[in-house]
Amino acid sequence: MRPICAAISASALQHNLNVVKQHAKTAKVMAVVKANGYGHGLINVVYALAEADGFATVNIASAIDMREAGVDQDILLLEGVFDEEELRIAASFDMTVTVHNESQISMLENTQLARPINVYLKMNTGMNRLGFKPSDYAAAHQRLQQCDNAANITLMTHFATANEPTGIIEPLARFKETTKTIGGEVSLANSATILLHPEAHADWVRAGIMLYGATPAGDTPAADFNLKPAMYFTSELIAVQTLEKGESVGYGALFTATKQIRIGIVACGYADGYPRHALTGTPIAVNGTVTQTLGRVSMDMLFCDLSDLPEADAGSPVELWGDTISVDAVAQASGTIGYELLCAIAPRVQKKVVE
Ligand SMILES: *Cc1c(COP(=O)(O)O)cnc(C)c1O
């Protein structure tokens, strides 16, 4: 079998949940598990995070999968429902729906439901993605209060710049001003807010990336927040080549040896979810030692420098990311963020849950 694997650490997920709880104190924790648990496998994550108070996703199919796997905590649909049929299903599975626009309120008013459904009413405080403008929020809230299908109404917003030290001051003020006469629980905080802005923890936090042990805060490594990587993306060398001075490796011949050099051929490519944009010099570990990638990543293979690894050979273990190499370091070398790399792990990569 091809040696590539993504090992999912249940204990790291649990550790990171405890870090969330230490920060969030009395707030309840909603674990965000969209995009197949940020690539870790929805049910793997849900079982490891059984101590969470709720789960949030975007697909109703994932929400149903969670109910069928035995989840009895709250399950929030972050974009709400898209039609009346989905609304009926969501109510029958006792899900919670985000309401971010007028048509979703109309749906609630006009659909026959098995039982009233819990709602997160979303305010647009400056992200300008989803939600009611502050000026329309109280009216939307009032309509929901008068709607028999709406059970509990939680007040919600999402911050665009929570990774910046002063990034939530204005939107938080807007939210507080708008909701000062409206009762109900409040949910504001993503991972960056949890870690950087304790004044916005409110009643429910929505923890995503930090549960998976990657950083929500640009240049600050996840380890500085005491987070542990939950995914170990590993493979092996399947061949070793010696390049003479002037010889190149891979498509486009992007790396050319300036002296004789041994290189390793790794069974991992962009079809496995490794970023094709990773440049020569991206960190990678062979036999536990940090080295660098060379040349252009191909569909099924990539190349690494064995100059300082004379003992490395076909069969030597390779860490693409995990403990030695953070996913954020690979992301940085590829012009993206850890979030994107974790979500992009390909279905063909076998995932296994480890302690
Ligand atoms: C994805 C998402 C989160 C989690 O964000 P992280 O940065 O991964 O913690 C929280 N709230 C909403 C609305 C989201 O879409």
Side-chain angles (χ1 to χ4, degrees):
M1 195 166 62
R2 203 159 163 261
I4 191 164
C5 177
I8 308 305
S9 167
S11 60
L13 287 163
Q14 285 152 9
H15 167 89
N16 295 334
L17 176 60
N18 284 329
V19 174
V20 174
K21 289 183 173 183
Q22 280 156 19
H23 282 272
K25 304 214 170 68
T26 59
K28 289 174 277 187
V29 179
M30 186 157 276
V32 181
V33 294
K34 60 197 181 190
N36 197 25
Y38 287 48
H40 294 63
L42 176 67
I43 300 304
N44 298 338
V45 173
V46 161
Y47 282 164
L49 298 181
E51 301 292 310
D53 302 294
F55 295 94
T57 187
V58 295
N59 275 321
I60 196 163
S62 307
I64 294 170
D65 287 348
M66 285 193 269
R67 278 282 178 259
E68 290 183 340
V71 169
D72 60 7
Q73 294 98 319
D74 291 2
I75 298 179
L76 171 65
L77 294 172
L78 287 163
E79 296 176 349
V81 290
F82 296 89
D83 53 49
E84 294 190 358
E85 174 66 13
E86 278 196 1
L87 181 56
R88 280 191 289 269
I89 296 169
S92 71
F93 281 93
D94 197 16
M95 293 164 190
T96 301
V97 288
T98 300
V99 167
H100 64 82
N101 66 18
E102 216 275 326
S103 88
Q104 289 176 326
I105 298 184
S106 301
M107 261 189 251
L108 274 164
E109 288 170 338
N110 299 321
T111 310
Q112 282 267 15
L113 300 184
R115 57 185 135 176
I117 190 166
N118 291 333
V119 170
Y120 272 47
L121 181 61
K122 190 160 190 178
M123 190 191 302
N124 171 12
T125 50
M127 171 86 122
N128 290 314
R129 200 171 66 170
L130 298 182
F132 292 88
K133 288 205 156 75
S135 54
D136 299 329
Y137 194 78
H141 188 268
Q142 200 170 23
R143 258 177 89 183
L144 287 177
Q145 268 189 319
Q146 287 162 358
C147 172
D148 290 338
N149 279 335
N152 246 321
I153 308 170
T154 299
L155 316 181
M156 172 198 202
T157 193
H158 188 54
F159 301 124
T161 52
N163 55 326
E164 295 167 18
T166 58
I168 72 161
I169 293 174
E170 277 187 35
L172 181 61
R174 237 169 259 149
F175 183 88
K176 283 189 167 165
E177 175 63 26
T178 308
T179 57
K180 68 184 180 206
T181 59
I182 305 177
E185 288 193 317
V186 171
S187 173
L188 309 171
N190 60 359
S191 296
T193 308
I194 293 165
L195 292 169
L196 304 177
H197 307 287
E199 71 279 16
H201 285 165
D203 301 300
W204 280 92
V205 298
R206 304 186 303 272
I209 195 71
M210 67 183 289
L211 290 172
Y212 306 98
T215 189
D219 293 339
T220 310
D224 288 14
F225 297 117
N226 185 28
L227 300 170
K228 294 185 178 166
M231 184 190 290
Y232 289 75
F233 188 24
T234 60
S235 188
E236 290 178 5
L237 299 185
I238 56 172
V240 170
Q241 306 287 349
T242 300
L243 301 186
E244 301 301 329
K245 181 180 173 181
E247 289 185 326
S248 303
V249 62
Y251 290 116
L254 285 199
F255 172 79
T256 302
T258 54
K259 58 180 192 321
Q260 193 193 64
I261 179 181
R262 283 176 82 240
I263 64 165
I265 315 301
V266 183
C268 174
Y270 60 79
D272 298 300
Y274 197 90
R276 185 174 174 277
H277 287 103
L279 303 171
T280 290
T282 301
I284 186 169
V286 178
N287 281 341
T289 300
V290 179
T291 178
Q292 59 171 348
T293 66
L294 299 174
R296 181 173 277 163
V297 174
S298 39
M299 188 182 290
D300 310 312
M301 282 169 266
L302 58 84
F303 316 110
C304 64
D305 184 350
L306 301 181
S307 304
D308 299 324
L309 289 154
E311 76 293 356
D313 209 341
S316 292
V318 174
E319 183 185 287
L320 288 323
W321 59 71
D323 223 2
T324 308
I325 308 291
S326 76
V327 68
D328 295 307
V330 177
Q332 202 152 40
S334 321
T336 185
I337 53 177
Y339 293 75
E340 187 182 13
L341 299 189
L342 294 174
C343 293
I345 280 282
R348 81 180 194 183
V349 175
Q350 188 209 347
K351 290 188 198 82
K352 64 166 194 245
V353 178
V354 297
E355 210 0 68

